[in-house]
Amino acid sequence: MSAARDVNAQAAHWLERREFESWGEADETELSAWLAHSWEHRVAYWRLKDAWEHTERLSALRPSSPQTAAAPQPRKPFRPMLWRVAAAAIAVAALGAGTAFYVARNGGPHETVYATPVGGHQSVLLADGSKVELNTNTVLRARVSAHERLVTLERGEAYFQIAHDPKHPFVVMAGDHRVTDLGTKFLVRRDNKNLEVAVTEGRVQLDTPDGRLQSPVLLTRHEAAEVKGNKVFVTRKTAQSLTNELGWRHGFLVFDHTTLADAVAQFNRYNQGKLVIADPATARLTMDGTFPIDGISAFTEVAQEVFKLRIERRGGNTVISR
Amino acid sequence: MAETVETSRGTGLFKPGATMTASEVEVWFVREVLPMEAMLMHYLHQNWRNKSDIEDLRQEVYARVCEAAQKEVPEKTKAFVLTTARNLLINRVRREQIVPIEAVADLDELEIAIDAPGPERNAMARDVLRKLQGALDRLPPRAREVVTLRRIEGLSRPEIAQRMGISEKTVSEHLTNGLCALADMLYGNASDLRSKK
């Protein structure tokens, strides 16, 4: 037996014990001693622990009938639905959001609705092979068939990686605006009034079916359009700033000379408990850093220790002040 | 005038050159290094002929990488992992008195791979669902049953033993073996996943 295999087996045994047996202080001490022995022990344990934690997503299957969920052969009429929901639940949990997600077929024969709650994150593989990632608090309707590829972003933010098919352009509707894919990866974000489209690869065309925009706007790689009212602002972004903007895809918020006001606004998109800044001077401070999307406590800790700010809990919210 | 402060605290903040606490090394390892396992395994397989050494080599690369990273977070994880692997292979060849002629494909070749495009760092997080399902499907049936009974139905070890009609000791064995296999597939087995495409 190879040395590594032996260490792996021991690490797996520790995890198995921790999973199945009542785990006390003595066990913890014993495990610590084993881990302290060498880096080989530690890396083996960390690796298997992470793998085991991944399987936790399976618990999302629990609510349905156990028999059905355990064996991957759901009863006939529910099959596509059940697996989609199960898959979705796993994917959301996989990104640490741990919140519900739903897929419903309520919009007509070929329409599927995908939605994420606050803090959610969901990857969807559409029938044409295109991939869509939904960010927090997003609702998206998709009609994808052999004849058409139409997605409507009702609210929120989604990142699209489109399977190329020149005969059937991929269209994303966001309110009055239409984004037509010309072979690409791009981001669409919609909040109350504003719309942002950013292209990481290829090209897209932005226009309005009612002709309100006089001429379509063509966006290429690293370009972004911000629609505010009747105006469209096109800017060039660096690859880095686009990557930062898409940090949510990996469960992170990336701040780079970001004001506390903007950072807090970002956190508030993903979390039920809101952060509030008490005064304008605090709001103007800027910071760099990377945080998990749900890492409010890490964030407030930095605010407290680095900026010497006051952190106060009021109800479900957290108030930051000088 | 706004102040800018560089922060190096909190999770996810791995500043190149900084030191890390033990628990930070774990987070760093899981987040930065594990997603590269498929690439590392590919590299080892390409450059080391004796397949029975590969698991040991991988573990040793991980151990060395973590040990070094605790003292100083490397700027580029991928290059650092591959360089560590390369040095390890070279040292093995040098250290051993008798080296099978075909042990290493070509020491010069080892240099090239470092700049070759690797998998996107966080591909793991994105594809975790697909990988998890694929990995589970490929587990030996009994191991898969133990994992799903535990995770989906939340059964205890005696309950699983009873349900499956096996001893508790066998339940433990299925789980530990299954876990090792699952980790190999989740992180390392790129070829299987590629062929599914």
Side-chain angles (χ1 to χ4, degrees):
Chain A
M1 188 186 262
S2 89
R5 188 156 306 165
D6 193 34
V7 170
N8 273 329
Q10 291 175 37
H13 186 62
W14 277 111
L15 283 159
E16 195 269 343
R17 269 182 62 188
R18 220 171 79 149
E19 180 68 22
F20 277 130
E21 291 169 15
S22 59
W23 188 257
E25 220 167 285
D27 301 298
E28 192 63 46
T29 310
E30 211 185 324
L31 172 61
S32 298
W34 186 82
L35 290 173
H37 177 270
S38 66
W39 281 104
E40 278 78 3
H41 284 193
R42 288 192 284 283
V43 293
Y45 183 78
W46 293 341
R47 181 171 170 275
L48 293 180
K49 181 169 146 226
D50 189 58
W52 180 246
E53 281 166 5
H54 276 300
T55 67
E56 200 175 342
R57 333 301 181 215
L58 294 170
S59 58
L61 293 165
R62 201 177 298 155
S64 53
S65 133
Q67 291 305 326
T68 313
Q73 280 126 13
R75 275 176 239 106
K76 262 187 255 152
F78 300 112
R79 186 169 189 184
M81 186 60 192
L82 199 75
W83 269 98
R84 293 271 278 292
V85 174
I90 293 172
V92 169
L95 288 138
T99 33
F101 168 83
Y102 73 82
V103 177
R105 294 180 162 277
N106 57 0
H110 301 296
E111 185 163 281
T112 308
V113 179
Y114 301 95
T116 51
V118 170
H121 176 180
Q122 165 63 18
S123 290
V124 175
L125 186 64
L126 299 176
D128 67 331
S130 297
K131 272 167 56 179
V132 186
E133 280 181 57
L134 282 67
N135 198 358
T136 177
N137 195 16
T138 297
V139 176
L140 186 141
R141 290 187 284 124
R143 267 160 53 185
V144 175
S145 68
H147 316 291
E148 67 170 343
R149 302 199 290 170
L150 174 66
V151 163
T152 306
L153 182 65
E154 295 290 352
R155 68 157 187 262
E157 176 174 357
Y159 181 68
F160 297 87
Q161 298 179 65
I162 304 306
H164 192 54
D165 177 3
K167 283 194 193 135
H168 302 99
F170 194 102
V171 175
V172 179
M173 289 302 304
D176 299 331
H177 290 81
R178 174 168 63 193
V179 181
T180 308
D181 158 68
L182 305 168
T184 198
K185 299 181 183 177
F186 61 98
L187 169 82
V188 181
R189 178 189 300 148
R190 197 182 163 189
D191 54 28
N192 297 336
K193 292 230 166 89
N194 302 333
L195 174 71
E196 182 187 332
V197 181
V199 179
T200 54
E201 242 180 78
R203 292 182 307 158
V204 303
Q205 177 179 298
L206 173 69
D207 65 0
T208 47
D210 65 6
R212 188 143 51 92
L213 272 182
Q214 284 173 354
S215 56
V217 179
L218 193 68
L219 298 169
T220 61
R221 190 164 178 259
H222 293 174
E223 283 183 338
E226 257 184 272
V227 183
K228 287 183 176 166
N230 282 335
K231 283 207 158 87
V232 180
F233 301 89
V234 176
T235 49
R236 273 201 77 76
K237 301 212 167 191
T238 61
Q240 190 57 49
S241 74
L242 272 178
T243 307
N244 291 352
E245 210 167 317
L246 287 165
W248 59 266
R249 296 177 54 219
H250 312 305
F252 292 104
L253 296 176
V254 184
F255 302 136
D256 182 12
H257 287 57
T258 305
T259 62
L260 285 202
D262 287 343
V264 159
Q266 287 284 319
F267 273 114
N268 288 347
R269 290 180 65 202
Y270 298 92
N271 295 284
Q272 294 289 0
K274 303 299 179 198
L275 290 167
V276 182
I277 296 181
D279 58 287
T282 303
R284 282 196 299 271
L285 297 169
T286 66
M287 67 179 307
D288 293 355
T290 303
F291 294 87
I293 266 165
D294 56 0
I296 286 187
S297 58
F299 178 75
T300 53
E301 211 175 289
V302 167
Q304 199 164 18
E305 295 193 11
V306 179
F307 293 104
K308 308 293 175 212
L309 295 171
R310 285 222 324 249
I311 308 296
E312 242 178 296
R313 302 210 145 266
R314 283 188 208 155
N317 298 337
T318 306
V319 180
I320 305 175
S321 61
R322 293 224 140 184
Chain B
M1 184 63 203
E3 303 163 40
T4 292
V5 173
E6 296 271 330
T7 57
S8 59
R9 292 185 46 82
T11 33
L13 306 176
F14 306 115
K15 289 275 176 198
T19 59
M20 288 190 277
T21 65
S23 59
E24 281 169 339
V25 178
E26 177 177 355
V27 175
W28 176 83
F29 171 72
V30 166
R31 207 170 276 168
E32 301 269 322
V33 181
L34 274 185
M36 299 197 182
E37 183 162 311
M39 181 196 62
L40 173 64
M41 293 301 276
H42 180 71
Y43 180 83
L44 293 173
H45 275 288
Q46 282 222 312
N47 293 298
W48 198 259
R49 297 279 159 79
N50 188 354
K51 299 305 170 213
S52 60
D53 292 340
I54 300 281
E55 194 174 345
D56 283 343
L57 289 168
R58 181 193 72 206
Q59 211 90 325
E60 198 171 337
V61 170
Y62 284 164
R64 288 186 181 195
V65 159
C66 285
E67 186 174 7
Q70 177 163 35
K71 290 174 201 135
E72 187 181 340
V73 177
E75 194 172 345
K76 290 185 176 140
T77 314
K78 180 183 145 197
F80 186 65
V81 168
L82 285 177
T83 308
T84 307
R86 183 197 59 195
N87 293 343
L88 181 67
L89 296 188
I90 292 173
N91 283 340
R92 281 233 172 171
V93 172
R94 290 202 183 124
R95 196 179 59 204
E96 280 165 31
Q97 297 267 301
I98 302 159
V99 181
I101 196 85
E102 74 285 7
V104 170
D106 182 347
L107 284 183
D108 293 334
E109 297 266 314
L110 297 182
E111 304 289 342
I112 301 164
I114 302 222
D115 296 322
E120 204 181 319
R121 190 165 66 80
N122 277 304
M124 175 74 204
R126 272 215 318 281
D127 295 342
V128 73
L129 158 69
R130 189 169 56 88
K131 286 196 172 184
L132 188 61
Q133 283 185 333
L136 266 179
D137 288 347
R138 293 198 302 278
L139 277 187
R142 307 239 83 183
R144 184 170 63 228
E145 204 176 339
V146 171
V147 171
T148 47
L149 284 175
R150 175 64 193 166
R151 277 312 196 196
I152 295 173
E153 299 196 36
L155 298 189
S156 69
R157 188 160 54 198
E159 285 167 336
I160 295 175
Q162 198 187 4
R163 175 83 71 97
M164 292 177 65
I166 55 180
S167 73
E168 286 190 40
K169 190 162 172 286
T170 313
V171 171
S172 298
E173 278 164 17
H174 282 313
L175 192 88
T176 52
N177 293 339
L179 186 52
C180 290
L182 204 61
D184 285 347
M185 288 187 279
L186 267 181
Y187 306 121
N189 209 339
S191 56
D192 266 6
L193 291 159
R194 214 177 300 135
S195 65
K196 284 186 88 179
K197 229 175 176 177

